[in-house]
Structure formats: structure tokens, C-alpha cells
Amino acid sequence: MQRFEERPLLKVENLTKQYGPGCGECSQPGRPGLIKNYCPSCGTVYACSDVSLDVYPGEILGIVGESGSGKSTLMQCLYFDQDVTSGTLTIDDPELAGENLFDVSSQRKRYIRNHKYGMVYQNPVKGLRMDFSSISNIAEKQIAAGGRHVGQMQSAGERLLDVVSIPLFRMKEEPRNFSGGMQQRVQIAKALSNDPPILFLDEVTTGLDLSVQAAVIDLIKQIQRDLGISMIVVSHDLAVIRMLADRTLVMLNGRVIESGLTDQILEDPNHAYTQQLVYSLL
Amino acid sequence: MVMLEVKDFGKRFTSHHLNTTRKAVEGISFSLEQGGFIGIVGKSGSGKSTILKSIYRTYLPDEGEIWFDSERFGRIDLLKAEERQVIWLRKHEIGYVSQFLNVMPRTTARELVEQALLGMGESHEAATIKAEQSLRHFDLDERLWDTFPNTFSGGEKLRLNIAIATVKKPRLLLLDEPTASLDYQSKLKVREVIEKLKADGTTLVGIFHDLEFMEGLCDCVYDMNEKALRGMPEVQR
């Protein structure tokens, strides 16, 4: 049998994020004695414990789990919004080869964010400047990524707004005037404006009504198909994950408890929690 | 050439809710030549779908081997294949059709077939042409091509489903009771579709609940009760 010769684009090994000092008991391998993700003797909370994952080129990886399971913390650690306690992150890119990107300088982290990453937050307030025009929001990221030619940036920005179906006659308007779905689409346009090879999507369809949700899902799929961008999609909505992701991780109390092909996770779940999650599907 | 070889396959399900483990199937062995068509027959609950879903890896199997002759990977045990390999095989070499159509919202019938081709790396032009050929080949009314499948009838959904699964010319196609909810006329249509697939040289494994439908279509049947392959049984009329 031949092996698959592809290499992961983004690789995370044993990412741990703790709030608190940790003690002799909760620092043991496997962290026995935790109540959920909380150490009763020192009060440390383990938001993420030994999370490992691979994202392959052009792939959408899904992450599901209940509120508080560590999904968003994981995304924020990967996007350098938060520092990790321990763990390694590598990206298969000639510019970044062989480095643990959690350990590099903040200047270099900013470079990676500006050139390699796009991020779409659940709350557009975190990803957009609500009092700048939509096209300026996009320009901000383009400039951060090294763009200097105003004409080129403007036309690229218009093309992106068109991709996400924001009418161009409203591009000079501030996103605070827009509906939630429109804000989310401006955020996606902004996240794509530096041509990132990696895109993080954190609960992007939560709170949107059905038709807008369908439009956003459709847009994400289209981006994957046409641009070949690798994505991590976090959602507590199994239906969204089913539509988007080929592979899925299930998180509980800061740990990955099950991973597999998305349809296998949904139809043949093995972990008790995953079974419960699937039984809860409407 | 052997396309698919199932050896001592077994699958159990654990329910944490009931605290039980139940054996769905065990001791299943059969093999299938390229271009052949095996029908699986047996009572409801005898594990027919479990076999199909395990070949497709929707179920995580726990016993035995399922060898598939892959163009990309050579002879590969589907139970041990890496997830990324299974995803590749689903995109290019193995198709699965059931009576249910589970697709992206707000995507037209035409786009769905095109996307299957784009996912394989075909160009937009080639995808457009092949998608139309496929929809025409399986007799989906042309007026439906640019509409959304949510409102299709059972037969129309099924024909679209088959078009999506076969447009990539899979080496192996799994049919999981595709005719379950169809009336007699629609079933005859499906039969024609399957005859076309056979004529195209597709290797097939199928589950159908009526033997009459399978007569003259399958080369042989795998009987879940006897756990053995045999010729097509005579249908009592």
C-alpha cells in the first residue's frame, strides 16, 4: 500500500493553556484529579490540555464542543491573541520552517498574523473597526500585510466585497450601520484581504438567521474551492460542521476526546460525550 | 481483478447511555471482481447497511479487513487507511448513494454535480460540460437543473444523488437502499440508471429490499442469514 505523501500545513502539538500556577497534583501527566478542567487543590483552570491537531493544505477542520470546552481559547492561542502555557506550533512554509511559532518574538507573531493568517470572530466587534468604512477596514489589513499601492488595494478590496456580496455603493459606509450578517461578511472579506493560506473561523454563523447562515456557509465553501485556503472552523452547531468539515475534533473540558471523519463522528460516535452530543441533534 | 475483498469483517456498537455493547455483524467475507454487482440481502437489522457504511468508513469498523483496489494507493485496507486517504478515495474512487440527499443549502442541482468535479480538480469548463451530460444521462428534467433540490420528489432526488456520485466515475459505487421510498414507476427508472452504470463498467455493491428488483441486475447476492455468496434466487411469483 502506498502512503500519502502530503504534509500538514499547520501542526499543533500538546498545546496547553492554563490560568493559575498549577501544583504538584495537576502537573502530573494526564492531569488526574481535575474536576472537569479545574484543579481543586490550587484552583488552576486548564482551558486547553495537550491539544494536538494537523490541518492539511486546502482542508477545513471542524472543532465542536459545548460552551467552555476550550474551542475559542484554542483559536485565540493559535492566532496569538493569547500566550500558551506550553506546546508547539509549526507551519509548513519556507519562511517559517522548523520554528516553534509559540516561542518567536511578538514582532514575528505579528508578521505571521498579517501575512499568513485570517481570523473571523463570532462577534464582528472584535474583528472590525465599527467606525471605519468597510473598505478602510479591508485597507487596514492590506497595509499591515505590506500593501502600499492605493489603487491596487482599492480594487482588491472592491473585488473582496463583491465576493462576499456587499454592494459596492455601500463600501464607504461604516459596518455599525450594517446588519449582523453583513458585518460578518465584511469581516470575512477583511480576513481574506492578505491572501492568507490559513483562515480561522470562530462560530461565524452563530446568531445569524437561517438564510444568512446558508449564505455564509456557501461563501466559506466557495472560498475553500476557489482559493484552496486551509481553515479551522469552530462551532457548537453540528449541522454547520457537517456541511463544512471533512474531519472533526470533539473537545470537552479543554481536551480533544474524539476525532475522525465528520460523518463518522456523527453516525458512529464512540465517546460517551460525543454520543450525548449527537443524541441532542434536532 | 478483485476490486473489493471483505475478510472476517465485524462491527460492534457501544452505547454509553445504556452501558451496553452490541454486535451488529460478524464473520462477513466476500469478494467482488471489477465490473461486478453484489446485492446484499437479509432481514431488517441484519447489518446490511453496517457493511456498506463500514466500507465507506462512515462507521469505524473494529474487526477484519476490507481490501480495496485503489488506483491511487494500490491495494489498501479501508479499515486501516488514514482519514486523509479515505477523504481522497471518497472524492475520486468510491461513491455512496442512499435514499437521502444531504447537500449544501442554496445550491442548485447543476452546481452540486459541478462541485463534485471541481473537488477532484477539474476545470470549470470541463465541470460544466460533464455535469450537464450526467444530469441528462440520468434523466433529470432539464427544468430542474437550476433549482434547489429541497423541493424535489423522491425519484428526482435519487437521480440527482446518483448523478453526483457517478459523475466522478468511481471505481466502486455503494447503493444503500436507494429505492426504499419510491413507487414502482420510479423504481423502473432507477433500474435503468443502474443498468447504465453497469454498462459503464462500474463495480457495485447494493442493498435493495425487494428481490424482484435485483433479479437480472445483480451477478450474485450475499445472504446475511447464511453468510455466503450465492446466485440470484428465483423470485416466487
Side-chain angles (χ1 to χ4, degrees), chain A residues 40-104:
Chain A
S41 33
C42 67
T44 298
V45 169
Y46 288 87
C48 293
S49 277
D50 300 312
V51 174
S52 298
L53 58 89
D54 292 326
V55 185
Y56 287 88
E59 173 184 49
I60 300 183
L61 178 72
I63 300 180
V64 294
E66 61 193 9
S67 304
S69 59
K71 311 184 296 286
S72 290
T73 303
L74 172 64
M75 293 290 258
Q76 285 160 16
C77 288
L78 295 180
Y79 195 62
F80 309 128
D81 277 341
Q82 298 203 35
D83 287 328
V84 297
T85 308
S86 61
T88 59
L89 166 68
T90 49
I91 294 177
D92 186 21
D93 182 301
E95 284 184 275
L96 309 170
E99 280 181 287
N100 177 6
L101 302 176
F102 286 139
D103 285 346
V104 299

Side-chain angles (χ1 to χ4, degrees), chain A:
Chain A
M1 184 177 95
Q2 284 168 287
R3 308 308 301 179
F4 224 1
E5 63 277 11
E6 64 172 2
R7 283 189 310 202
L9 176 62
L10 181 142
K11 189 174 187 65
V12 177
E13 283 167 299
N14 301 314
L15 184 157
T16 296
K17 172 68 184 174
Q18 70 189 58
Y19 297 96
C23 62
E25 278 184 44
C26 61
S27 306
Q28 303 284 332
R31 298 187 221 295
L34 289 192
I35 301 173
K36 291 198 161 188
N37 59 0
Y38 176 80
C39 174
S41 33
C42 67
T44 298
V45 169
Y46 288 87
C48 293
S49 277
D50 300 312
V51 174
S52 298
L53 58 89
D54 292 326
V55 185
Y56 287 88
E59 173 184 49
I60 300 183
L61 178 72
I63 300 180
V64 294
E66 61 193 9
S67 304
S69 59
K71 311 184 296 286
S72 290
T73 303
L74 172 64
M75 293 290 258
Q76 285 160 16
C77 288
L78 295 180
Y79 195 62
F80 309 128
D81 277 341
Q82 298 203 35
D83 287 328
V84 297
T85 308
S86 61
T88 59
L89 166 68
T90 49
I91 294 177
D92 186 21
D93 182 301
E95 284 184 275
L96 309 170
E99 280 181 287
N100 177 6
L101 302 176
F102 286 139
D103 285 346
V104 299
S105 68
S106 56
Q107 191 189 3
R108 195 145 168 76
K109 283 180 180 167
R110 208 156 43 236
Y111 175 83
I112 296 167
R113 250 161 84 138
N114 290 338
H115 292 82
K116 309 292 176 195
Y117 280 173
M119 169 66 126
V120 182
Y121 295 95
Q122 174 178 358
N123 187 347
V125 170
K126 283 185 90 174
L128 293 176
R129 290 178 192 274
M130 285 297 172
D131 44 1
F132 282 24
S133 73
S134 303
I135 193 86
S136 313
N137 262 288
I138 293 175
E140 186 197 14
K141 178 122 195 190
Q142 289 170 319
I143 292 167
R148 291 295 178 265
H149 190 290
V150 177
Q152 279 170 7
M153 288 195 296
Q154 167 115 9
S155 58
E158 286 175 10
R159 189 179 47 78
L160 281 168
L161 287 174
D162 189 51
V163 167
V164 299
S165 310
I166 299 289
L168 289 185
F169 56 82
R170 297 192 74 177
M171 70 180 182
K172 300 223 164 118
E173 242 179 282
E174 296 148 13
R176 66 169 174 214
N177 294 353
F178 290 173
S179 71
M182 285 175 78
Q183 290 177 348
Q184 207 56 296
R185 282 180 280 139
V186 175
Q187 217 197 155
I188 293 174
K190 181 176 184 175
L192 292 174
S193 61
N194 58 340
D195 289 325
I198 300 162
L199 186 60
F200 300 109
L201 300 161
D202 190 2
E203 301 276 9
V204 284
T205 57
T206 306
L208 303 178
D209 67 62
L210 265 186
S211 65
V212 180
Q213 179 171 320
V216 172
I217 290 175
D218 197 31
L219 174 64
I220 294 168
K221 262 296 200 208
Q222 186 196 329
I223 290 166
Q224 181 206 22
R225 245 192 342 264
D226 296 348
L227 307 177
I229 296 176
S230 305
M231 303 184 211
I232 299 184
V233 176
V234 163
S235 182
H236 65 266
D237 187 341
L238 289 174
V240 169
I241 294 290
R242 192 217 308 259
M243 280 298 145
L244 288 175
D246 286 328
R247 296 190 304 130
T248 295
L249 309 181
V250 184
M251 285 188 74
L252 179 69
N253 298 332
R255 292 171 190 279
V256 175
I257 51 159
E258 186 162 357
S259 69
L261 299 163
T262 305
D263 57 328
Q264 179 252 306
I265 295 277
L266 291 174
E267 293 199 37
D268 185 19
N270 283 292
H271 192 279
Y273 171 72
T274 317
Q275 291 189 354
Q276 204 182 31
L277 199 69
V278 171
Y279 298 150
S280 317
L281 247 176
L282 292 178

Side-chain angles (χ1 to χ4, degrees), chain B:
Chain B
M1 189 192 65
V2 176
M3 181 65 82
L4 184 75
E5 189 179 7
V6 178
K7 276 186 180 171
D8 295 320
F9 164 74
K11 166 72 186 162
R12 68 192 85 201
F13 291 98
T14 300
S15 164
H16 293 281
H17 169 65
L18 297 173
N19 219 349
T20 54
T21 296
R22 189 175 55 86
K23 252 195 170 129
V25 289
E26 60 180 328
I28 305 289
S29 299
F30 61 84
S31 71
L32 177 58
E33 292 285 316
Q34 181 172 21
F37 186 177
I38 286 184
I40 303 177
V41 295
K43 297 192 299 274
S44 291
S46 60
K48 305 187 292 292
S49 283
T50 300
I51 298 176
L52 247 53
K53 288 191 172 176
S54 299
I55 296 173
Y56 200 60
R57 269 284 288 274
T58 298
Y59 287 168
L60 205 61
D62 41 28
E63 254 173 46
E65 298 158 24
I66 298 181
W67 291 96
F68 171 66
D69 182 68
S70 159
E71 203 166 2
R72 174 77 153 77
F73 304 110
R75 213 168 117 84
I76 181 169
D77 183 356
L78 294 173
L79 305 202
K80 295 199 177 68
E82 295 160 31
E83 286 164 9
R84 291 286 297 166
Q85 286 180 309
V86 174
I87 291 167
W88 198 92
L89 288 172
R90 286 176 176 188
K91 263 188 193 147
H92 296 82
E93 299 192 26
I94 303 177
Y96 183 93
V97 175
S98 73
Q99 55 173 310
F100 304 107
L101 181 66
N102 209 336
V103 293
M104 284 291 290
R106 302 222 301 195
T107 312
T108 64
R110 184 201 296 269
E111 288 167 342
L112 287 167
V113 183
E114 284 175 0
Q115 282 169 13
L117 291 160
L118 295 174
M120 294 176 73
E122 296 259 8
S123 70
H124 280 270
E125 295 75 32
T128 309
I129 295 166
K130 287 187 186 174
E132 283 193 6
Q133 282 171 349
S134 169
L135 289 167
R136 191 166 293 126
H137 188 66
F138 294 121
D139 277 333
L140 188 73
D141 190 332
E142 212 166 321
R143 287 169 297 184
L144 295 175
W145 292 6
D146 294 305
T147 60
F148 306 107
N150 308 47
T151 52
F152 284 14
S153 73
E156 289 159 355
K157 275 187 182 165
L158 181 61
R159 264 172 278 147
L160 173 60
N161 225 347
I162 292 180
I164 294 170
T166 57
V167 73
K168 47 196 169 187
K169 301 253 176 279
R171 288 163 78 76
L172 175 66
L173 186 64
L174 308 168
L175 301 167
D176 189 358
E177 299 223 38
T179 56
S181 59
L182 300 183
D183 60 36
Y184 184 69
Q185 285 302 322
S186 308
K187 276 187 196 171
L188 282 183
K189 278 265 187 194
V190 174
R191 200 188 159 95
E192 281 171 29
V193 166
I194 293 172
E195 276 164 358
K196 278 182 180 173
L197 290 174
K198 271 192 82 172
D200 293 343
T202 314
T203 309
L204 295 147
V205 183
I207 305 174
F208 302 93
H209 55 279
D210 58 320
L211 284 174
E212 212 171 314
F213 183 83
M214 295 161 84
E215 202 182 14
L217 210 53
C218 299
D219 303 320
C220 56
V221 296
Y222 183 85
D223 190 324
M224 295 297 289
N225 199 21
E226 296 166 20
K227 290 203 172 136
L229 279 178
R230 54 182 169 79
M232 264 314 291
E234 287 292 315
V235 176
Q236 305 291 321
R237 289 183 207 277

